[in-house]
């Protein structure tokens, strides 16, 4: 009888320990699922409203997936050294994941390689120049540039003077767009100038027949000048800010390529949150874009990109 009571007591103890273990496991897992994750976002510049659509997508995903995001701007656009400093600082301060818009530079790539075993890192808009072992949420930058260049060629004359403007050529995605647009220009069009936005004055733009802007800062600047000069310029660009869409609607911009930055932001936060919580495998994700002009911008199939929604 004593042995029987001892056996019963031992079985009850095992059951209690088992139940406690299950309660602890699921309680801990539930707590982990409900905790806010800390994700740092390192941009490539400090431009005012440049990243509004991207941030809106991130903020929506942050609410949906319980993520606390810390968005960091560079004081010097395209600075590799500053991105490395911010990356190391955020890891030291307890960031659980990092999203980064990479600038050119092998030192930054090395810093990311060293950091990857510590926490998940996703790049936005483009990969690193010489390092393929990262995952990115982006659009097809080269293809966007190429298609924009084709639009220019369809409307240009052989004698036209064309200028391509960039604001931050040290960012990978800008370089990819530039390569695409230049590859689309016919060899017979020899009058092509590539220029940093800061290096040209507004009055000098009067010397060109067509202006191609490969980033939002350049596009907004040129569209403002075009409006001031009552549509004197033939403007083509990549970007979908409120200013550029209004300028397109008024005829101060000929053609726009608009990528879904809202979705890039949303999917990036979603991807890194699922990786951190569930160890879901990360993968590249290419986000769609569209080509619009004044006549097509209100087509129903364009609206989902011009006015961002999660697809």
């Amino acid at each position: 009888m004593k042995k029987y009571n001892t056996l019963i007591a031992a079985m009850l103890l095992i059951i209690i320990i088992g139940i406690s273990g299950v309660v602890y496991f699921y309680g801990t897992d539930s707590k982990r699922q409900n905790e806010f994750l800390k994700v740092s976002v390192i941009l490539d510049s400090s431009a005012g409203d440049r990243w509004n659509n991207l941030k809106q997508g991130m903020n929506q995903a942050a609410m949906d997936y319980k993520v606390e995001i810390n968005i960091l701007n560079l004081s010097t656009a395209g600075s590799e050294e500053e991105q490395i400093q911010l990356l190391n600082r955020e890891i030291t301060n307890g960031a659980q994941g990092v999203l980064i818009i990479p600038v050119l530079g092998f030192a930054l790539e090395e810093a990311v390689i060293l950091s990857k075993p510590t926490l998940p890192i996703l790049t936005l808009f483009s990969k690193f120049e010489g390092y393929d072992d990262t995952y990115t949420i982006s659009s097809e930058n080269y293809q966007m540039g190429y298609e924009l260049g084709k639009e220019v060629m369809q409307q240009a004359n052989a004698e036209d003077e064309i200028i391509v403007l960039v604001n931050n050529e040290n960012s990978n995605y800008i370089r990819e767009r530039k390569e695409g647009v230049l590859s689309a220009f016919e060899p017979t069009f020899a009058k092509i100038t590539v220029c940093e936005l800061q290096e040209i004055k507004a009055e000098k733009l009067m010397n060109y027949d067509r202006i191609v802007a490969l980033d939002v800062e350049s596009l907004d600047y040129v569209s403002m000048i075009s409006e001031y000069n009552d549509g004197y310029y033939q403007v083509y660009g990549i970007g979908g800010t409120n200013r550029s869409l209004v300028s397109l609607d008024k005829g101060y911009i000929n053609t726009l390529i608009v990528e879904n930055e809202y979705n890039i932001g949303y999917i990036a936060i979603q991807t890194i949150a699922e990786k951190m919580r569930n160890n879901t495998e990360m993968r590249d994700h290419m986000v769609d874009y569209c080509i619009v002009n004044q006549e097509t911008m209100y087509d129903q199939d364009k609206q989902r990109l011009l006015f961002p929604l999660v697809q």
Side-chain angles (χ1 to χ4, degrees):
M1 186 67 176
K2 186 175 181 181
K3 288 183 179 180
Y4 178 77
N5 290 338
T6 302
L7 180 61
I8 293 295
M11 290 178 64
L12 287 174
L13 181 61
I14 291 171
I15 292 171
I16 291 171
I17 292 173
I19 293 173
S20 299
V22 170
V23 170
Y24 176 81
F25 174 81
Y26 283 104
T28 303
D29 185 65
S30 176
K31 181 180 179 182
R32 181 169 59 87
Q33 292 291 334
N34 287 316
E35 287 179 346
F36 274 76
L37 302 169
K38 295 181 179 179
V39 174
S40 296
V41 182
I42 303 175
L43 304 180
D44 65 336
S45 67
S46 58
D49 62 352
R50 163 67 182 93
W51 300 116
N52 279 355
N53 288 339
L54 180 76
K55 291 175 182 178
Q56 288 174 12
M58 287 182 174
N59 288 333
Q60 182 60 56
M63 290 189 291
D64 293 346
Y65 291 91
K66 291 186 171 62
V67 175
E68 177 186 329
I69 56 176
N70 182 28
I71 297 178
L72 305 160
N73 299 288
L74 298 187
S75 59
T76 303
S79 170
E80 179 191 23
E81 181 180 354
E82 190 174 0
Q83 275 202 333
I84 294 172
Q85 291 173 350
L86 291 176
L87 174 66
N88 292 331
R89 188 190 77 185
E90 292 306 295
I91 293 173
T92 301
N93 290 344
Q96 296 167 283
V98 173
L99 304 175
I100 187 168
I101 299 176
V103 301
L104 299 177
F106 292 107
L108 177 61
E109 294 172 24
E110 289 297 325
V112 170
I113 292 170
L114 292 174
S115 303
K116 278 198 71 179
T118 310
L119 77 175
I121 296 176
L122 270 174
T123 63
L124 303 178
F125 294 95
S126 66
K127 289 182 177 292
F128 288 106
E129 173 74 12
Y131 179 47
D132 293 330
D133 191 24
T134 54
Y135 298 96
T136 187
I137 313 296
S138 180
S139 299
E140 295 284 358
N141 291 299
Y142 179 91
Q143 192 63 27
M144 284 194 297
Y146 183 82
E147 293 190 31
L148 187 64
K150 284 296 185 184
E151 290 289 320
V152 176
M153 287 297 95
Q154 288 176 10
Q155 302 176 36
N157 300 311
E159 64 274 11
D160 281 354
E161 294 268 5
I162 300 171
I163 186 169
V164 178
L165 291 179
V166 296
N167 184 53
N168 181 14
E169 200 170 358
N170 204 35
S171 289
N172 280 354
Y173 69 97
I174 299 297
R175 176 188 51 79
E176 292 167 0
R177 292 174 183 179
K178 185 186 75 172
E179 290 175 356
V181 76
L182 292 178
S183 69
F185 291 155
E186 300 292 340
T188 53
F189 285 76
K191 301 175 182 177
I192 309 295
T193 301
V194 179
C195 184
E196 286 273 355
L197 180 64
Q198 299 87 345
E199 296 176 358
I200 190 164
K201 296 182 179 179
E203 57 268 23
K204 291 291 185 180
L205 293 175
M206 298 287 289
N207 298 328
Y208 297 93
D209 301 290
R210 301 182 190 275
I211 304 173
V212 181
L214 297 183
D215 56 83
V216 166
E217 292 88 354
S218 300
L219 181 61
D220 282 352
Y221 175 73
V222 173
S223 63
M224 178 181 66
I225 294 174
S226 178
E227 184 169 359
Y228 180 79
N229 289 279
D230 198 27
Y232 173 85
Y233 304 94
Q234 304 293 308
V235 177
Y236 309 79
I238 299 176
T241 63
N242 289 336
R243 173 183 286 277
S244 62
L245 291 174
V246 169
S247 294
L248 179 69
D249 190 34
K250 291 180 177 180
Y252 300 124
I253 293 176
N254 295 58
T255 304
L256 274 181
I257 291 186
V258 180
E259 60 183 329
N260 198 328
E261 290 185 355
Y262 182 98
N263 268 15
I264 291 176
Y266 189 97
I267 293 169
I269 294 295
Q270 177 190 41
T271 299
I272 207 163
E274 290 179 345
K275 171 64 177 178
M276 289 188 287
R277 281 208 171 91
N278 307 315
N279 200 29
T280 304
E281 184 177 355
M282 294 196 296
R283 62 183 179 87
D284 291 338
H285 195 111
M286 291 294 110
V287 175
D288 48 3
Y289 63 89
C290 66
I291 304 172
V292 290
N293 54 39
Q294 191 178 26
E295 289 71 36
T296 64
M297 69 178 297
Y298 290 105
D299 289 354
Q300 190 171 8
D301 63 335
K302 309 288 186 184
Q303 295 298 295
R304 61 191 179 88
L305 289 176
L306 298 179
F307 305 98
L309 295 170
V310 175
Q311 304 301 316

